[in-house]
Amino acid sequence: MSSNTGARPPLLLLCAAQFMLALDFAIVNVALGGMQSDLGFTDSGLQWVVGAYALFYGGFLLLGGRAGDVIGRKRLFVIGLAVFTLASLVGGLANAPFVLIAARALQGLSAAAVSPAVLALIAAGFPEGKERVKAMGVFGAVSSAGFSGGVAAGGLLTEYISWRAVMLVNLPVGIVLVALAAKRLVADHHATRATRLDVPGAILVTSAMCAFSYGLTAASDKGWGSTPVIVALAAGVALLAAFLAVQTRVGAPLVPLSVFRNRSLSSGNGIAFLSGGVMSVSTFFITLYLQQVLGYSSVKTGLAFFPQAFVVFMASVPVIRLTERLGARNTLTIGGVLLTAGSALLAQVTAGSSYLLVVLPGGVLLGLGVTVMMITTAVAATSGVEGPQMGLASGLYNSSRQLGVGLCLALGVALAGMAHGAVRAIPIGGFQAAFWFTTALSVAIIAVSVLGLRGTAVARAAQPQTAAPAKSTGGVGAPATPSVAK
């Protein structure tokens, strides 16, 4: 293919896969009650329906991103998507807790291959400037819409069909996407010439990420002072230190540390970490507040998130245009202000607060801010990256966001006074503390946007790509490799 017109169907295909992943990430949380009653989960075991996914997804994201650079992004995308679909089938038919947990772990592992491959294929296939901004805009909008819509859809499917529907809904979508991807995506020609994978580095960083993911997931159930949590987090620190030492000594490192000299990439990853925390903490505590304090059912809770999902959908195109006009730095600053305002409003909740006067406007402001973050951080985090390292940049971006989700949620739970995961006994002051925490994270986003992105290429308005197109390496049917911002 030689035109951007030809790239549009693959872009939609890739974003459809990302939508399925984002939807699945959020949709399962609302169905936990049905899973527990049907399969007989204990309270401590139930958390691993979410925790197993987070452990394998967070643990293998960086390896999945780099593996795409080495073995080919199309190949990894198709295989990962097929495995994710199969795991969804197994989970939907599960008749015992361990089967469902194993299926969720396999979903997380395959998603760690698919998610960075999607972002890398888009970034490598569209040159920096307006084309990249628009493509990343679609990617970000779909991700945020999938996350917001997942909460709403989960309540409806669980109430009117079964918790199994939240797993099986991936089956027909996944089959169609695998078939289309095998036919429509162009293979990565540079992948066969890529340097072999840094195996020691891959083992160390994957082990470190898994240790961190386990520690953060277990902290909400076992407590921060428990031996398993302390050991896991200490092991994560030690393994990460060993990984960094190895990267300075090998000829072809998994993560060349020089990549962090790219201020746009470093700042974009920092903002992804912070915004992932805002998104996870706010969604978690809004859901609990609606059900625990206001007494909403799962269906009513899902419907309460529809306005936020609608705002995300409607705001996507304006945010893309705003990023083109103002540049990523100014747009992210505006997004940080929106997140700060929404979080500060939600921090005013009381036992008698009105959904219409507090939760709804706070959630809408958060939805607007999250839309900005999902669209524009992806632009910043992939700016100035060479095509052969695009998978690495995508893995770093997704890893940063996932670490933000896990670490900030664990901290938010601790600040809310939830003893050993006792979600039924959060004092109203706990909700307020959690939302003040997201307010602080949002203020930090503003600071990183203003200071970290100052003077970078993404601080300026997006310009059309005028350079002659190079040979395609992106695998999405687009003609150019991305230009490198100096």
Side-chain angles (χ1 to χ4, degrees):
M1 295 181 186
S2 60
S3 69
N4 289 337
T5 302
R8 292 188 185 221
L11 175 62
L12 295 177
L13 184 154
L14 292 168
C15 288
Q18 181 63 25
F19 180 85
M20 183 174 72
L21 297 183
L23 188 77
D24 183 82
F25 183 83
I27 200 172
V28 170
N29 290 277
V30 186
L32 291 176
M35 295 173 178
Q36 184 174 28
S37 60
D38 191 15
L39 298 182
F41 275 99
T42 62
D43 287 339
S44 60
L46 186 64
Q47 70 160 337
W48 287 105
V49 176
V50 176
Y53 183 97
L55 176 64
F56 281 84
Y57 180 65
F60 286 85
L61 264 173
L62 193 54
L63 177 59
R66 191 56 176 150
D69 291 333
V70 175
I71 69 174
R73 296 163 197 152
K74 173 190 174 178
R75 182 181 302 168
L76 196 66
F77 175 82
V78 173
I79 293 173
L81 199 58
V83 173
F84 185 89
T85 304
L86 177 62
S88 299
L89 174 63
V90 173
L93 300 178
N95 58 0
F98 78 89
V99 177
L100 181 57
I101 291 174
R104 289 288 290 163
L106 191 57
Q107 277 188 320
L109 180 64
S110 53
V114 175
S115 191
V118 169
L119 185 59
L121 286 165
I122 294 173
F126 292 85
E128 288 196 54
K130 288 191 174 183
E131 290 185 50
R132 173 90 56 92
V133 169
K134 289 178 180 177
M136 288 298 183
V138 176
F139 167 82
V142 164
S143 297
S144 52
F147 185 85
S148 299
V151 179
L156 295 174
L157 289 174
T158 302
E159 181 71 18
Y160 294 112
I161 303 178
S162 165
W163 66 264
R164 297 181 185 277
V166 306
M167 301 289 290
L168 296 176
V169 71
N170 296 323
L171 194 59
V173 179
I175 291 173
V176 171
L177 290 178
V178 169
L180 290 175
K183 179 179 180 181
R184 299 300 301 274
L185 290 180
V186 180
D188 298 285
H189 299 295
H190 72 83
T192 57
R193 302 193 299 270
T195 305
R196 66 183 181 86
L197 192 65
D198 170 22
V199 176
I203 293 173
L204 285 170
V205 75
T206 300
S207 300
M209 295 291 287
C210 285
F212 282 129
S213 297
Y214 172 81
L216 295 173
T217 301
S220 62
D221 176 61
K222 300 179 182 298
W224 285 94
S226 66
T227 300
V229 172
I230 293 174
V231 170
L233 296 180
V237 172
L239 289 165
L240 184 60
F243 167 71
L244 294 175
V246 167
Q247 297 308 281
T248 63
R249 289 172 171 78
V250 297
L254 181 73
V255 181
L257 300 184
S258 60
V259 73
F260 294 105
R261 296 172 187 165
N262 181 331
R263 286 177 54 212
S264 179
L265 179 146
S266 299
S267 298
N269 278 279
I271 296 170
F273 174 90
L274 294 167
S275 61
V278 174
M279 180 176 64
S280 62
V281 175
S282 61
T283 302
F284 180 79
F285 281 96
I286 288 175
T287 302
L288 287 182
Y289 179 80
L290 291 173
Q291 295 181 340
Q292 182 175 308
V293 179
L294 300 186
Y296 282 22
S297 65
S298 59
V299 173
K300 196 172 180 179
T301 299
L303 292 174
F305 275 92
F306 264 120
Q308 184 174 334
F310 179 74
V311 165
V312 167
F313 176 78
M314 295 300 294
S316 299
V317 172
V319 169
I320 294 171
R321 291 174 178 170
L322 192 67
T323 305
E324 291 177 350
R325 184 174 180 179
L326 300 181
R329 180 193 183 214
N330 292 332
T331 306
L332 286 169
T333 302
I334 293 171
V337 171
L338 290 168
L339 291 176
T340 302
S343 294
L345 179 57
L346 286 169
Q348 310 306 313
V349 294
T350 66
S353 291
S354 166
Y355 167 78
L356 292 176
L357 296 179
V358 179
V359 181
L360 177 60
V364 167
L365 287 169
L366 284 174
L368 288 170
V370 167
T371 304
V372 172
M373 295 299 119
M374 295 296 291
I375 290 174
T376 315
T377 52
V379 175
T382 57
S383 176
V385 180
E386 298 281 0
Q389 290 188 333
M390 198 59 73
L392 168 62
S394 303
L396 285 170
Y397 168 76
N398 282 284
S399 296
S400 298
R401 190 173 61 181
Q402 182 63 19
L403 279 175
V405 168
L407 177 59
C408 294
L409 183 56
L411 290 174
V413 165
L415 288 171
M418 291 169 58
H420 303 290
V423 298
R424 296 179 180 85
I426 306 177
I428 195 64
F431 288 103
Q432 294 168 348
F435 291 126
W436 279 124
F437 176 51
T438 61
T439 304
L441 294 175
S442 302
V443 171
I445 288 173
I446 297 174
V448 176
S449 300
V450 172
L451 300 176
L453 294 175
R454 182 170 55 190
T456 62
V458 294
R460 301 184 292 272
Q463 300 296 325
Q465 179 63 261
T466 56
K471 292 181 180 180
S472 174
T473 61
V476 291
T481 54
S483 59
V484 179
K486 302 295 183 183

